[in-house]
Amino acid sequence: MSPSISLTIIVPASVTDSALSRAVEHFRNRCCPVWVWGTHKGSALVRMSDLLSTITDRTQENIMLEHIRKSHNEKRQPYIMDLSKDCPSPKDIQISYLRLRDLCIPDSIRLFKTQDYKFYGLFG
């Protein structure tokens, strides 16, 4: 078992074991859509791997998304977000963190005063 997969997964009641077994063969690393967070109002966050690059038929993906839609209290279509396109890369996050750290924790009092002066100068 992959360390990134939890021991317990939550799937809609309408998904059979055989349907889940068929579906996972189409997703990268055999990772089917997995419920990771929800609210009492029926909202849910579902993590889903990309389809394998060799798969051109999106039937299994659509079947899983339909099960997710049916399990929503209001039968809403899932909103799909491609995190590889919609979120910053780990490198971008690291660079942002380093810049923020350098700004908040300068190496010397002199550098702190210079940064502080520049910061307050933006508002004046």
Side-chain angles (χ1 to χ4, degrees):
M1 180 177 290
S2 171
S4 66
I5 299 175
S6 62
L7 295 175
T8 305
I9 61 171
I10 299 171
V11 295
S14 60
V15 178
T16 63
D17 288 347
S18 61
L20 192 57
S21 294
R22 277 192 308 276
V24 298
E25 296 301 325
H26 294 81
F27 292 95
R28 186 179 304 162
N29 298 325
R30 299 188 76 231
C31 292
C32 63
V34 177
W35 180 90
V36 292
W37 179 81
T39 68
H40 67 281
K41 295 183 178 184
S43 299
L45 176 62
V46 177
R47 182 177 137 212
M48 186 170 79
S49 295
D50 292 332
L51 288 176
L52 294 170
S53 58
T54 56
I55 303 292
T56 56
D57 178 11
R58 300 187 83 86
T59 302
Q60 290 301 323
E61 178 184 42
N62 291 333
I63 288 170
M64 296 306 289
L65 291 171
E66 179 60 14
H67 283 293
I68 293 167
R69 184 195 68 78
K70 285 180 184 178
S71 66
H72 189 279
N73 289 348
E74 297 176 15
K75 309 294 186 236
R76 289 189 193 160
Q77 282 294 103
Y79 174 76
I80 299 171
M81 180 184 293
D82 185 347
L83 297 181
S84 65
K85 295 176 185 167
D86 297 332
C87 290
S89 71
K91 183 178 180 179
D92 293 335
I93 293 171
Q94 178 69 18
I95 289 169
S96 295
Y97 166 75
L98 293 173
R99 287 179 180 165
L100 180 62
R101 185 190 68 189
D102 290 344
L103 181 64
C104 295
I105 308 171
D107 290 334
S108 68
I109 295 291
R110 184 179 190 149
L111 187 56
F112 171 77
K113 288 181 179 180
T114 302
Q115 289 174 338
D116 198 45
Y117 177 75
K118 286 181 183 177
F119 175 77
Y120 284 113
L122 295 173
F123 301 105

